Amino acid sequence: MNSPPPSRGRPRDPRSHEAIIGATARLLVEVGYAATSIGAVAARAGVGKDTIYRRWSGKPELVFEAVFTATDDAPPPDTGTLTGDLTELLRGLIDEFHAPAAAAALPGLLADFASDPELKARIRGDFLAPSKERLLVVFERAVQRGEIAAETPVDLVLDTLAGAVFFHVGLVGEHPDPQLAALLAAVVAKGIEVR
């Protein structure tokens, strides 16, 4: 994992960061993705636009972080089984995609990603890769317990899980059944278990 370059000037104020993230999520729900602007976020958060641009290169990165990284700081689950761990991971992902801010942001973000390959690469490198890296421990433990083989394509498994949630909750807009996380986890764990 790459560590960010050391920052220059004043250290970041975590209160400003939280104010910006919170303001972004609230504006998305209130006015939608298209009408959410860096200026509106800055005014709502009580910071200058420069403060936002020092942290995010533009609206898509800011929105993505505000909406789709809430579970990234949680420690990887350790329930004692791969199915249990995947269930916990999926519950967090389902909650993230089912949140009103996610529903408001998703169409606009998808359009921005489709039209800007550099943006897609930045999101993949800055947000998705570190998130996947953090979850490797779940699969390493499953290998140690003999549940899965060492050569299991973990990236593909994680993409499969995220894709199922994205399609079911984010794209189709289904209200997630309380058992969705457990069902998806069981299907995927069964599919990759050692036979």
Side-chain angles (χ1 to χ4, degrees), residues 1 22 27 31 40 44-45 82 89 94 101 122 127 138 142 145-146 169 175 180 182:
M1 228 161 51
L27 278 168
V31 301
R44 175 75 63 96
L82 180 60
L89 289 173
I94 289 167
R122 284 194 310 272
F127 296 106
V138 167
R145 289 188 301 258
V169 179
H175 182 75
L180 178 61

Side-chain angles (χ1 to χ4, degrees), residues 141-160:
R141 287 191 303 247
V143 169
Q144 292 168 355
R145 289 188 301 258
E147 293 178 282
I148 62 173
E151 62 274 2
T152 300
V154 173
D155 273 354
L156 183 58
V157 172
L158 289 171
D159 289 348
T160 300

Side-chain angles (χ1 to χ4, degrees), residues 2-195:
N2 296 333
S3 59
S7 60
R8 293 185 211 138
R10 292 186 306 182
R12 289 184 180 173
D13 180 354
R15 292 172 300 179
S16 292
H17 185 85
E18 289 306 312
I20 294 165
I21 293 295
T24 302
R26 287 188 300 278
L27 278 168
L28 286 165
V29 173
E30 292 170 18
V31 301
Y33 182 82
T36 297
S37 67
I38 297 295
V41 170
R44 175 75 63 96
V47 300
K49 288 196 292 188
D50 287 348
T51 300
I52 294 174
Y53 282 117
R54 277 194 294 273
R55 297 171 187 186
W56 296 275
S57 63
K59 180 171 85 170
E61 289 93 342
L62 171 59
V63 168
F64 188 88
E65 183 171 345
V67 176
F68 294 109
T69 64
T71 60
D72 286 359
D73 294 332
D78 189 3
T79 65
T81 68
L82 180 60
T83 302
D85 291 350
L86 293 179
T87 299
E88 291 304 309
L89 289 173
L90 285 163
R91 281 188 183 129
L93 195 58
I94 289 167
D95 288 347
E96 212 168 64
F97 271 92
H98 190 59
L106 204 51
L109 278 176
L110 290 174
D112 284 348
F113 293 164
S115 67
D116 187 348
E118 288 180 18
L119 169 64
K120 195 177 347 183
R122 284 194 310 272
I123 294 294
R124 188 178 294 127
D126 293 348
F127 296 106
L128 298 178
S131 182
K132 282 184 174 183
E133 185 74 25
R134 183 182 68 78
L135 299 176
L136 290 179
V137 67
V138 167
F139 295 93
E140 290 166 359
R141 287 191 303 247
V143 169
Q144 292 168 355
R145 289 188 301 258
E147 293 178 282
I148 62 173
E151 62 274 2
T152 300
V154 173
D155 273 354
L156 183 58
V157 172
L158 289 171
D159 289 348
T160 300
L161 293 169
V165 171
F166 167 74
F167 180 79
H168 191 77
V169 179
L171 195 58
V172 177
E174 292 290 326
H175 182 75
D177 181 283
Q179 295 302 312
L180 178 61
L183 291 170
L184 285 173
V187 166
V188 170
K190 182 74 175 165
I192 63 174
E193 73 183 3
V194 172
R195 291 182 172 80

